[in-house]
Amino acid sequence: MRVCVIDGRGGGLGSRLVTGLRETLNLDCQILALGTNLAAAKAMKEAGAEQVASGAEAISKLAPTADVIVASLNMVLPGAMLGEVTPEVAKTILEAKAKKVLLPLNRVRVEIVGTEGRTMDTLIDECLSRVRVAVQATCQV
């Protein structure tokens, strides 16, 4: 089972997700961290990801190999993260066969109804819970 965390900028969200997944998932689950840049990849590596890569090309090659993809909503919005999310990155994620668990965080003026008032900690906890359920469902097949 491969769980892929994708993040950009400084990798703050990605590193928190990797840490939470490492604490939550079985040891037979591999955590793959993909950063849109080297800083994000490094932060996720330091948080405990087994495999790490960075850049649009790495995301295009490796994201489709995941069973579950975890990221912020930004990762499917071309131009987000100060332009780090290319159209190719967004397309790769959306077309991947993996289950996608996306946190409703964005700074590109996209409003997601129903997410008001939730803290980052609450969103991360809910995200980890949904990934755990997705991983358990996949492992039972």
Side-chain angles (χ1 to χ4, degrees):
M1 168 67 55
R2 284 174 65 112
V3 178
C4 176
V5 178
I6 306 174
D7 197 13
R9 311 265 320 244
L13 175 63
S15 63
R16 288 180 68 181
L17 290 170
V18 168
T19 298
L21 290 169
R22 182 62 33 235
E23 295 170 357
T24 303
L25 299 178
N26 297 329
L27 293 176
D28 61 338
C29 289
Q30 180 187 34
I31 297 177
L32 165 63
L34 301 175
T36 58
N37 62 59
L38 198 53
K42 182 179 177 186
M44 292 185 283
K45 175 70 172 175
E46 290 172 358
E50 289 94 359
Q51 185 179 2
V52 178
S54 66
E57 186 175 331
I59 293 170
S60 293
K61 285 183 182 177
L62 295 171
T65 69
D67 298 297
V68 179
I69 294 174
V70 185
S72 75
L73 177 66
N74 283 326
M75 297 309 302
V76 296
L77 299 173
M81 294 192 167
L82 300 175
E84 289 183 18
V85 180
T86 65
E88 294 78 19
V89 166
K91 182 178 180 192
T92 295
I93 294 167
L94 290 171
E95 290 180 350
K97 291 181 180 172
K99 177 172 183 68
K100 292 116 185 128
V101 181
L102 304 176
L103 284 88
L105 307 172
N106 72 78
R107 294 193 172 126
V108 292
R109 302 172 94 177
V110 174
E111 186 171 333
I112 309 299
V113 176
T115 61
E116 299 84 2
R118 293 172 132 179
T119 66
M120 176 75 78
D121 289 338
T122 301
L123 290 170
I124 289 173
D125 288 344
E126 186 172 335
C127 176
L128 295 173
S129 175
R130 289 183 186 207
V131 171
R132 187 172 39 253
V133 168
V135 166
Q136 289 171 347
T138 303
C139 289
Q140 291 175 352
V141 174

